[in-house]
Amino acid sequence: MTLKPATEPAENATNQATSTVYGPVRSWRVGNSLGVDLLFTTSICSFQCVYCQLGKILDHTAERKVYVSTEKVMEDLRASAWQEADIITLSGNGEPTLALNLPEVIRELKAATGKPVMVLTNATTLWDPQVRAELAEADQVFCKLDASNDATLQRVNRPVAGVTIRSIVEGIKALRAEYPGYLAVQMMFMPMNRSDLAEMAEILNEIRPDEVQLNTPRRPVPREWFMESRGNHEGVPYPAVQLKTVDRDEALDIEAQIRELTGLKVVSIYRKDETKA
Ligand code: SF4
């Protein structure tokens, strides 16, 4: 049975995108990525990260439901330039695992395109065995982890009530144990969480992902929700703030330390600049 959305997309004069599918946009990690937005109606997430490119999270929630129908996603896909994509990425206007039709969409996208599908998640729902089973449909899962303790989690990611660093880490570990695909952990470093590095390396040693991806918030953060930020946008039509980042030397130092402390494969946004990948 096809799941139906509980609500219709909100009217918003400044966010007039009509498609749940966008791009392809160039991603430094995966090449040409076609974005699919299962939230779409507004910005919906169980986090409210200080660096979030969507600007404001208007629905700060951990509720799972159907936000946009699978039929609409597939219709939007057919109208897109999906043939130009290397991979299809489920991310969009918030946390994709909050969408109850996630597994149905993954299956239909793969059947229609033959392309690999990747899910970008903040890992707050991975404590739930049902979500982990649904993610098994994806070829790659990238999990966000920006903190090693609850104080940093509250400062950087500002989760909904009940989410703790242990619930996140145990969820990622459980996914690691069950998931047959490629699992990466993404870390956003900034002065705010720089001192967590050694403890984050310990957590990485608990998880043992296939890859660690290091980033720093280089794009300005809009003060309002901006739907088109779900793509790879440089400019935003709102006042925006630039957060403090780690500079190249610090990023290379973080990369070297994580590699030394974990022995894991580590990739960095700063290396991408060097290779022009
Ligand atoms: S998890 Fe992603 S969508 Fe959610 S607030 Fe953080 S950056 Fe924004």
Side-chain angles (χ1 to χ4, degrees):
M1 189 183 73
T2 302
L3 297 163
K4 298 286 179 197
T7 51
E8 291 302 316
E11 288 292 322
N12 184 321
T14 51
N15 287 288
Q16 290 180 328
T18 55
S19 180
T20 56
V21 177
Y22 53 99
V25 293
R26 189 80 194 154
S27 156
W28 66 278
R29 295 147 309 185
V30 293
N32 271 348
S33 164
L34 187 80
V36 172
D37 184 0
L38 297 187
L39 291 318
F40 188 66
T41 50
T42 184
S43 51
I44 301 162
C45 194
S46 44
F47 273 178
Q48 198 148 258
C49 302
V50 287
Y51 56 79
C52 182
Q53 281 193 320
L54 298 173
K56 265 193 189 146
I57 296 300
L58 297 179
D59 192 357
H60 195 215
T61 182
E63 187 190 0
R64 298 196 75 210
K65 64 182 185 184
V66 177
Y67 292 93
V68 57
S69 72
T70 304
E71 284 93 338
K72 168 148 178 66
V73 172
M74 297 310 293
E75 200 179 294
D76 292 343
L77 176 87
R78 286 187 285 275
S80 76
W82 65 266
Q83 293 88 344
E84 295 167 20
D86 301 317
I87 191 165
I88 299 175
T89 301
L90 294 176
S91 149
N93 269 289
E95 170 51 36
T97 65
L98 296 181
L100 270 178
N101 53 342
L102 175 80
E104 178 180 79
V105 169
I106 295 174
R107 275 194 299 276
E108 293 204 16
L109 289 171
K110 291 181 74 159
T113 67
K115 308 265 183 194
V117 170
M118 188 252 279
V119 179
L120 279 179
T121 176
N122 65 18
T124 55
T125 57
L126 300 186
W127 60 269
D128 182 348
Q130 175 65 33
V131 174
R132 299 198 301 271
E134 291 173 9
L135 285 172
E137 306 272 351
D139 300 277
Q140 300 185 23
V141 177
F142 291 2
C143 299
K144 178 184 296 301
L145 187 69
D146 302 327
S148 67
N149 56 63
D150 287 311
T152 309
L153 182 74
Q154 291 298 332
R155 240 184 357 257
V156 175
N157 304 114
R158 301 183 292 196
V160 292
V163 174
T164 64
I165 194 67
R166 262 300 124 189
S167 70
I168 292 171
V169 172
E170 294 304 323
I172 303 175
K173 282 167 65 179
L175 183 70
R176 167 79 288 183
E178 299 163 8
Y179 178 61
Y182 194 81
L183 180 75
V185 169
Q186 300 192 319
M187 294 179 157
M188 187 71 94
F189 273 101
M190 57 202 104
M192 212 181 265
N193 64 353
R194 175 73 176 83
S195 60
D196 282 33
L197 177 64
E199 287 176 359
M200 280 161 86
E202 283 175 24
I203 290 175
L204 287 172
N205 276 327
E206 287 183 51
I207 299 169
R208 303 304 298 170
D210 294 305
E211 180 179 298
V212 181
Q213 300 168 348
L214 301 181
N215 207 340
T216 194
R218 301 200 300 182
R219 294 199 210 138
V221 180
R223 287 191 191 278
E224 301 293 333
W225 171 47
F226 174 46
M227 178 183 266
E228 290 306 312
S229 287
R230 63 188 183 172
N232 212 1
H233 254 254
E234 292 304 326
V236 296
Y238 290 114
V241 287
Q242 184 62 57
L243 293 181
K244 287 202 175 115
T245 60
V246 292
D247 64 24
R248 184 182 171 282
D249 287 346
E250 257 186 304
L252 294 181
D253 183 48
I254 291 168
E255 181 184 339
Q257 284 194 56
I258 290 184
R259 201 170 280 127
E260 189 186 323
L261 292 168
T262 67
L264 291 166
K265 177 183 175 190
V266 185
V267 297
S268 161
I269 183 83
Y270 282 95
R271 295 278 181 194
K272 164 257 177 192
D273 289 347
E274 286 167 11
T275 57
K276 303 284 182 225

